[in-house]
């Protein structure tokens, strides 16, 4: 095998194609009249917005629970934290930290229940996770209508009850992180605070994975019987990983919102797991192995494509095919990963 | 017959938990919805004629141990493409339906073959793969229909094409074939219309499934469904048989989609197929089927119960709490919830069964 | 096709797995209607030999085999078991390959069903033919009759007793039209005595009809009783090939275990102990295929205690049950303190360690490096290999310490590897076993269970493993309980040896007793089941 083949083998065709695709987009961009600085800026912002949601995949992949298609559950915890923080009247950047604080107990409780469920369905986690995510989003649709929120910026204006579908976080935690130490060069804005926060959480997870519990987690994912024989409580370790993933999902959505500017309720979180799953896979993870590097590379590549395709495509062929490309790239990547799992280590 | 003891009653309740739960929800909901019996009966008949075929298309892969075929959406896409062409060529009535079905067959076979190939690479996780595959192919479908049609694939009928000159509009009026099959043999009992011809087609597919189970191929699928390795070592070509199972399901789903849309009368080019997989699977599960067991009776019971719930929940929600919206969210929640429960129960039982083998000796020791 | 040629002949069949020779120059032949008994310890090469005969893909994947196989004088080389079946060679597996939800009939005729024509076959081919249930029933009944048992052909396999499953499997092979040669791999292991009797009878009947049989069994009594010729394999070579009526159990057993004289000289000094350390009372363990029914043992401090017995009798269940890996009951005490069962953590906390017989699935993290494998249990159980960070706020993995300990054991146990970061799955079986031992040594246990330590590893590695255990016992005073199918291995290292038969102890003898005494215990010749109660 020559070195080139080796590289292809190791990276995998889809990943290589996606990487080359993105590279070509950046090369074409100036000729198509797209400003690189704006594109790069957008890519960075979206990297920051999605970085933690992608990170939320890592603990569960490590512990052998597979891809966290149940991410919406964590997002719901984040939504509860965000809305409660606004309801309680917190404003400004402070409301962001209160949101995180309030989201945490929900994330822990949801994650614990979700983990307990996944422990009872070992081997069928991913499909069930998907539907747990879906069901919980649908259930919360009912709850958003019924819960007694009364902050006027959040509820339906015209005499209706229940929360709006999109709530602006302006005056609350809009750009709570993004504006922190932000660097402006012309129209290029580097969202220092957000990027630092994303890197910080990535670092913390990296550190966690090197503790005794984190090591046990990796072992449980690698070979549960081995871990059991070494005195590790498999179910407990898996539950911890699910709680951690769920909590990261909650934080992730809050970071997303502070940059995006809106809280999206109801069916908003429905499909949010898929881009995150696709991103970490593009970054080089598989169904049972993932690293922090995979998170960073994946989030950057995937978000890069999402920002670059519409602008470049639009100016080239006057058609916005980005949605279709997004669907094909992200789901194609997931299928690729699912069909490459070796069943058993034999 | 001996009297049913407590254990068997519990077993019955346990194995039919989902249909029973639905019966309870419906019996609470019906009075609150305020609908008349006539209306509800009519609705059930419409829904049965509209959806049964689609639900029945799920049975073959279950038999072959491939679980719920979330990839049936691929067949629905093939059916829709058939309908787009038929509408474009302005072919009317039964001929239109027939031609659409014929057009869908090669497409369904191609898609089914591809789907089967991919699922063979993801043994043991067929469902989640099929589920993502449906999303993936939705992207390809959009690429073809939204960008390819009218530009590469000629579409002569301008009313179907978007104003920009290519791509099919969001809705296609299927007036040419609208309910032609349903009203072919008109029958009215009291106030209730019965689409006899459609039911005859459905009966035909039921007969096909019953017969198919008795064929050598059907027997091979059952064998593979139980244990792929044993079937393989007996010389059954496992991969090929699994692909055939998926192809049959995809072709049937294509036909089912055409029947479904001839009843509805309009095609939502980019949405009709998306929900069909989820609703069909939910309906089958509500009827008491599970990931590894599905009967024809489950399909009919399921369509009846599930769609009854669908019909009544907005009104029941409005009358109960004062919000129709709530009922709508409720039914979405129930659709997803019921699939979740079925998946959880299946996975849980499978795990339990593994453990149960282990408890046999423990029990024997306890009794000593 | 010459009528004088034997039915099947193997000439100089040789096979190695990545340089590890498992079969060397195996030549033998079998005539029509002959029953050949094939015996050998676990790992002697019986299974590999049969895999070669049937053209299992694993053989091709690992580089094929040397020598040739002739069927009725014609050289054959099968690419898959199906080709062998076409030539009339059938196999009844040790593990059942039956479909639980199918009836006996459906299983017997699996993929050979009787079918009827209908018009759809013109369109879609023969698989559209419908099943002819009546014809299938008659055929199944005929096959069952051929086996000579009573079996309801309509019972689903899942509801059958084990014996009936075995008969269904045999019936399936016999139903094939042209069956000439049948391989039965330990068919009596799961049968009751009377069922085994029936099976032997039907084997005799089949041989009268001209069907040759290769009968693989550990039950030497059965071999003597039924076979025409006995073939003993050891370490991949044929040690003995004699007409059965010219040999006896003892001679066969001798040939099987071999090394008698050599091992005798090698034995350790006679040691006596009188401090009961680990006490096991009325233990039962539900380990599939290795059920422990009722076992009581007293093991002394500092002793090396061997547990032997034939495969499937329950010897492996003992450590797996005590260590909490399989559901178990009864009482386990160490120095008077009761150890709760069914929880690996409790067992590990009581300073017991276990080197599992199942290296790949239990013993190793195949996808992780050697140093992780070695240090993992120590880290989880004893919080070692961690270093405090931020003034002891929390502790992180100490990669340096992990690498050091790995290097230490790589040297001490002569683990052949490129670096301590090499993944465990890339090592050979022997080196993997050493990694497993190192993992156990790291926690410095008080009691060490070692299960089948030399299974599937080459001779050189075997010696290192056994010597290491012995040394460890002498130096640290660790109580070692070694479970092995190879009697001579046990005798060379243990102080006392218990033999397990049918989930119970059939006897405990000092290792210095002659092999024959243990052999007889294994074969269930001594009725001492009452003793263990």
């Amino acid at each position: 095998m020559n070195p080139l083949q080796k590289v292809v083998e190791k990276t995998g065709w889809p990943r290589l194609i996606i990487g080359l695709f993105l590279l070509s987009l950046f090369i074409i961009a100036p000729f198509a009249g797209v400003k690189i600085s704006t594109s790069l800026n957008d890519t960075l912002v979206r990297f920051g917005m999605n970085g933690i949601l992608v990170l939320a995949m890592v603990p569960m992949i490590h512990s052998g629970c597979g891809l966290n298609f149940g991410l919406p559950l964590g997002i719901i915890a984040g939504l509860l934290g965000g809305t409660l923080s606004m309801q309680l009247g917190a404003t400004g950047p402070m409301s962001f930290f209160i949101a995180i604080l309030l989201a945490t107990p929900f994330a822990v409780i949801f994650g614990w229940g979700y983990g307990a469920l996944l422990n009872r369905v070992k081997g069928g986690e991913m499909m069930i996770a998907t539907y747990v995510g879906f069901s919980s989003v649908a259930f919360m649709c009912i709850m958003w209508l019924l819960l007694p929120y009364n902050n006027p910026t959040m509820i339906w204006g015209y005499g209706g009850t229940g929360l709006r579908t999109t709530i602006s976080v302006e005056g609350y935690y809009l750009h709570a992180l993004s504006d922190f130490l932000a660097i402006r060069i012309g129209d290029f804005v580097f969202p220092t605070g957000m990027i630092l926060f994303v890197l910080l959480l990535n670092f913390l997870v990296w550190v966690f994975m090197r503790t005794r519990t984190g090591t046990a987690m990796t072992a449980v994912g690698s070979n549960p019987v081995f871990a059991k024989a070494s005195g590790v409580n498999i179910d407990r370790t898996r539950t911890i990983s699910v709680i951690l993933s769920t909590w990261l999902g909650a934080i992730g959505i809050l970071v997303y919102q502070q940059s995006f500017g809106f809280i999206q309720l109801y069916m908003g979180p429905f499909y949010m797991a898929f881009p995150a799953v696709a991103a970490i896979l593009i970054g080089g993870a598989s169904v049972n192995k993932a690293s922090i590097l995979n998170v960073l590379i994946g989030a950057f590549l995937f978000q890069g494509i999402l920002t670059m395709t519409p602008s470049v495509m639009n100016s080239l062929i006057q058609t916005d095919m980005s949605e279709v490309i997004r669907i094909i790239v992200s789901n194609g990547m997931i299928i690729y990963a699912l069909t490459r799992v070796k069943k058993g280590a034999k | 017959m001996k009297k049913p003891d407590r254990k068997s009653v519990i077993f019955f309740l346990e194995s039919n938990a989902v249909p029973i739960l639905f019966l309870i929800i419906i019996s609470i909901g019906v009075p609150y919805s305020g609908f008349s019996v006539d209306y509800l009966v009519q609705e059930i008949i419409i829904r049965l004629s509209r959806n049964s075929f689609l639900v029945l298309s799920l049975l073959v892969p279950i038999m072959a141990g491939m679980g719920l075929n979330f990839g049936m959406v691929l067949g629905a896409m093939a059916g829709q493409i058939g309908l787009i062409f038929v509408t474009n060529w302005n072919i009317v009535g039964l001929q239109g339906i027939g031609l659409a079905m014929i057009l869908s067959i090669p497409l369904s076979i191609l898609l089914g073959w591809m789907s089967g190939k991919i699922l063979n690479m993801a043994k043991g996780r067929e469902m989640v793969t099929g589920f993502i595959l449906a999303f993936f192919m939705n992207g390809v479908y959009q690429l073809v229909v939204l960008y390819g049609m009218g530009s590469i694939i000629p579409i002569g009928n301008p009313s179907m094409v978007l104003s920009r000159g290519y791509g099919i509009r969001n809705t296609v009026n299927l007036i040419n074939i609208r309910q032609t099959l349903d009203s072919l043999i008109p029958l009215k009992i009291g106030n209730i219309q019965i689409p006899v011809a459609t039911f005859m087609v459905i009966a035909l597919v039921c007969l096909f499934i019953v017969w198919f189970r008795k064929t050598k191929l059907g027997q091979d699928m059952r064998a593979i469904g139980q244990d792929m390795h044993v079937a393989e070592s007996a010389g059954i070509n496992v991969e090929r048989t699994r692909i055939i199972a998926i192809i049959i399901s995809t072709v049937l789903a294509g036909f089912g989609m055409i029947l479904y849309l001839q009843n509805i009368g309009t095609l939502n080019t980019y949405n009709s197929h998306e929900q069909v997989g989820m609703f069909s699977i939910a309906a089958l599960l509500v009827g008491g089927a599970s990931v590894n067991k599905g009967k024809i009776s489950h399909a009919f019971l399921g369509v009846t119960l599930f769609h009854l719930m669908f019909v009544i929940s907005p009104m029941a929600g409005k009358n109960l709490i004062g919000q129709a919206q709530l009922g709508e969210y409720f039914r979405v929640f129930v659709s997803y919830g019921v699939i979740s429960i079925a998946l959880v129960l299946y996975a849980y039982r499978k795990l339990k069964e593994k453990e149960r083998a282990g408890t046999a000796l423990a029990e024997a020791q306890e009794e000593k | 096709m010459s009528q004088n040629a034997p039915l099947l002949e193997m000439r100089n069949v040789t096979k190695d797995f990545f340089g590890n020779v498992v079969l060397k120059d195996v030549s033998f032949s079998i005539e029509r209607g002959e029953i050949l008994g094939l015996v050998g310890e676990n790992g002697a090469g019986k299974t590999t030999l049969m895999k070669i005969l049937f053209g299992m893909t694993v053989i091709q994947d690992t580089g094929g085999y040397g020598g040739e196989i002739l069927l009725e004088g014609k050289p054959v080389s099968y690419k898959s078991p199906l080709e062998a079946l076409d030539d009339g060679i059938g196999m009844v597996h040790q593990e059942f390959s039956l479909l639980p939800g199918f009836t006996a009939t459906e299983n017997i005729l699996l993929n050979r069903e009787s079918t009827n024509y209908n018009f759809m076959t013109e369109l879609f081919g023969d698989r559209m033919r419908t099943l002819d249930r009546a014809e299938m029933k008659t055929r199944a009944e005929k096959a069952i009759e051929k086996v000579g048992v009573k079996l309801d052909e309509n019972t689903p396999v899942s509801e059958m007793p084990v014996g009936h499953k075995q008969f269904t499997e045999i019936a399936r092979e016999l139903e094939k039209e042209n069956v000439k040669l049948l391989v039965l791999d330990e068919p009596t292991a799961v049968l009751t005595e009377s069922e085994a009797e029936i099976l032997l009878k039907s084997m005799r009947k089949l041989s009268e009809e001209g069907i040759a049989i290769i009968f693989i069994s550990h039950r030497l009594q059965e071999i003597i009783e039924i076979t025409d010729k006995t073939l003993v394999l050891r370490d991949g070579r044929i040690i003995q090939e004699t007409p059965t009526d010219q040999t006896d159990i003892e001679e066969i057993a001798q040939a099987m275990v071999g090394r008698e004289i050599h091992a005798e000289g090698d034995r350790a000094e006679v040691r006596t102990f009188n401090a009961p350390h680990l006490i096991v009372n009325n233990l039962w363990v539900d380990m599939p295929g290795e059920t422990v029914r009722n076992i009581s043992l007293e093991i002394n401090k500092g002793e090396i205690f061997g547990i032997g017995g034939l495969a499937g009798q329950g010897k492996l269940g003992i450590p797996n049950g005590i260590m909490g890996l399989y559901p178990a009951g009864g009482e386990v005490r160490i120095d008077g303190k009761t150890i709760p069962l069914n929880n690996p953590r409790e067992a590990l906390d009581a300073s017991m360690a276990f080197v599992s017989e199942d290296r790949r699935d239990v013993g190793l993290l195949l996808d992780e490096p050697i140093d992780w494998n070695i240090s993992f249990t120590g880290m989880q159980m004893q919080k070692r290999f961690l270093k405090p960070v931020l003034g002891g706020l929390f502790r992180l993995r100490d990669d340096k310490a992990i690498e050091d300990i790995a290097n230490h054991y790589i040297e001490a146990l002569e683990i052949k590897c490129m670096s301590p970061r090499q993944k465990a799955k890339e090592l050979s079986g022997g080196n993997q076993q050493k990694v497993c031992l190192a993992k156990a040594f790291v926690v410095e246990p008080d009691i060490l269970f070692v299960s089948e330590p030399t299974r599937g590893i080459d001779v050189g590695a075997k010696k290192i493993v056994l010597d290491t255990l012995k040394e460890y016992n002498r130096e640290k005073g660790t109580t070692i309980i070694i479970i092995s199918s190879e009697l001579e291995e046990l005798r060379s290292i243990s102080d006392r040896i218990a033999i397990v038969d049918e989930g119970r102890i059939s006897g405990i003898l000092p290792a210095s007793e002659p092999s024959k005494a243990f052999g007889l215990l294994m074969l269930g010749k001594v009725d001492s089941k009452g003793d263990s109660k």
Side-chain angles (χ1 to χ4, degrees), chain C residues 30-59:
Chain C
I30 178 167
E31 305 290 337
R32 281 171 200 76
E34 192 178 22
I35 302 181
L36 174 77
L38 182 58
V39 294
E41 286 182 312
N42 300 338
K46 292 170 298 183
T47 318
T48 311
L49 192 61
M50 290 305 116
K51 279 182 178 159
I52 289 174
L53 173 59
F54 282 93
M56 302 289 223
T57 43
V58 57
I59 299 297

Side-chain angles (χ1 to χ4, degrees), chain C residues 145-159:
Chain C
E145 203 188 292
K146 226 169 164 182
V147 186
V149 287
K150 284 204 168 38
L151 201 68
D152 179 8
E153 73 279 352
N154 287 323
T155 321
V157 165
S158 57
E159 290 166 23

Side-chain angles (χ1 to χ4, degrees), chain B residues 214 216-217 226 234 241 358 361, chain C residues 101-102 111 127 129 131 286:
Chain B
K214 293 186 177 153
K216 171 81 179 90
L217 184 58
Q226 288 183 51
T241 310
L361 184 68
Chain C
F102 272 19
N111 205 27
R127 289 179 93 185
R129 295 174 74 103
L131 302 184
D286 201 340

Side-chain angles (χ1 to χ4, degrees), chain B residues 208-244:
Chain B
F208 167 76
I209 290 170
V210 169
W211 170 80
F212 183 75
R213 288 209 168 110
K214 293 186 177 153
T215 62
K216 171 81 179 90
L217 184 58
Q219 181 80 353
D220 290 352
M221 283 186 192
R222 285 178 56 216
I224 293 169
Q226 288 183 51
D227 191 324
M228 253 186 266
H229 300 292
V230 172
E232 178 108 61
S233 61
I236 297 171
N237 189 334
V238 171
E239 306 238 315
R240 193 181 142 79
T241 310
R242 280 162 54 101
I243 292 176
I244 295 175

